[in-house]
Amino acid sequence: MRDYLRTARLRWIVDRCFQFKDGDASEWTYEICVGKKVTQFAGNQKAGKTIGKTLFEWGTYKIGHDQLWANGTLTQIYGNGTGGRQTEVFFECLDQYPTVTAIEEVRESELRMWVGASMFCDFRPTNPTPPLLEALLRPLEGWCANFTTTGFWSYEYCHPDSLVQFHKDSSGDVRDPMFLLGTLHKSTPSSTFMWKTHASADFPMLRGKGAGVNTNSRPKFRFLPVQLVDFPSELNRGREEKPQQVLAMELTNGTLCDSADVQRSTRVLFECPDDFATLATHQVMKVME
């Protein structure tokens, strides 16, 4: 169980890189690529290549040295860096996107680094000061995935923006009609607009690619209307095991339904499968009208 919890907490940040600079005037930048290495460099970095003369390795990840603590904090050791440098990394609770919050050079060859992320928070009911539930879904922002039913319709969900319903012909091309089934935007954008949203530096959305998570520290939405609800009884059929509760988020302001003269809306449910720690990515499992 302990190995499962450790792997599950790291699952969505492993292999991702985060940088830290101690003030704008500092010439040094520190970078951790989780599960790989910690580096320190002067100058600029672009496309994984350091532009500048100075680069220190503060260690590569040491397998088998992870420790998971009762409050959800996890520590890792990165060793055998330049001149014997070593880093101890503390992954702690933070109600934001994963980010390096602080560093400390304990000695000339020993560094401590703190990384904050929501997956290291204690969400148990026994916690007297639990973090916001929306923090559990923050790491998914910008992720998109397609889902096709056995019938006429296909769907694309982009978290937490929108759910779009569309039809593909035999060649795989998208054809009208296209409907926006709900969004977090206060005004109603068209379904075509949502579909054609292009990637940007602040929100690298990759439509239909199943990727494109927001690696920027600024969230697109300041608040996510997330609730903890009982698992719907209508979804029980054919399932041997089911979660007791799931997270739910309401999407509204969809395309107007002419027959009922109301705007379309969707309730998105998030559950944690048993094999979460080994999943390659998030998945859309079911769409029901």
Side-chain angles (χ1 to χ4, degrees), residues 6-213:
R6 176 183 59 81
T7 306
R9 278 172 165 76
L10 288 169
R11 182 64 191 88
W12 302 120
I13 61 172
V14 71
D15 293 336
R16 290 174 61 183
C17 300
F18 306 95
Q19 294 184 357
F20 178 86
K21 197 170 185 178
D22 193 10
D24 294 335
S26 175
E27 65 173 327
W28 292 107
T29 298
Y30 295 82
E31 181 180 73
I32 177 173
C33 293
V34 180
K36 290 186 175 180
K37 62 181 179 179
V38 177
T39 56
Q40 175 189 2
F41 59 89
N44 298 317
Q45 189 180 59
K46 185 177 182 180
K49 297 181 179 179
T50 302
I51 304 172
K53 296 182 179 180
T54 308
L55 171 67
F56 295 111
E57 296 280 354
W58 276 96
T60 55
Y61 173 61
K62 299 184 71 172
I63 299 174
H65 289 73
D66 292 9
Q67 291 193 48
L68 179 63
W69 306 96
N71 65 352
T73 297
L74 185 141
T75 56
Q76 288 185 335
I77 300 297
Y78 293 71
N80 301 320
T82 306
R85 285 173 169 80
Q86 175 176 296
T87 303
E88 185 176 16
V89 182
F90 299 84
F91 295 91
E92 299 181 321
C93 174
L94 182 68
D95 283 358
Q96 297 178 21
Y97 295 113
T99 185
V100 178
T101 57
I103 60 168
E104 178 187 8
E105 290 195 27
V106 183
R107 285 184 285 273
E108 185 177 350
S109 61
E110 186 176 339
L111 183 73
R112 287 177 181 168
M113 176 180 288
W114 286 264
V115 179
S118 59
M119 56 279 290
F120 302 101
C121 296
D122 184 358
F123 289 91
R124 291 175 297 182
T126 53
N127 185 357
T129 57
L132 295 174
L133 285 174
E134 67 174 79
L136 283 169
L137 303 181
R138 283 295 185 184
L140 279 72
E141 184 165 315
W143 169 78
C144 299
N146 288 343
F147 181 83
T148 301
T149 66
T150 55
F152 183 83
W153 294 110
S154 294
Y155 302 84
E156 181 186 76
Y157 175 65
C158 282
H159 182 81
D161 266 50
S162 59
L163 178 67
V164 175
Q165 182 185 42
F166 59 96
H167 171 63
K168 288 183 179 180
D169 61 21
S170 57
S171 63
D173 294 329
V174 176
R175 301 297 183 188
D176 288 335
M178 184 182 296
F179 302 105
L180 178 63
L181 300 186
T183 178
L184 283 186
H185 294 278
K186 293 182 179 179
S187 59
T188 306
S190 69
S191 54
T192 304
F193 171 81
M194 296 303 298
W195 180 270
K196 292 182 178 179
T197 300
H198 296 291
S200 67
D202 290 334
F203 195 61
M205 184 182 298
L206 303 178
R207 290 282 179 184
K209 301 295 184 180
V213 293

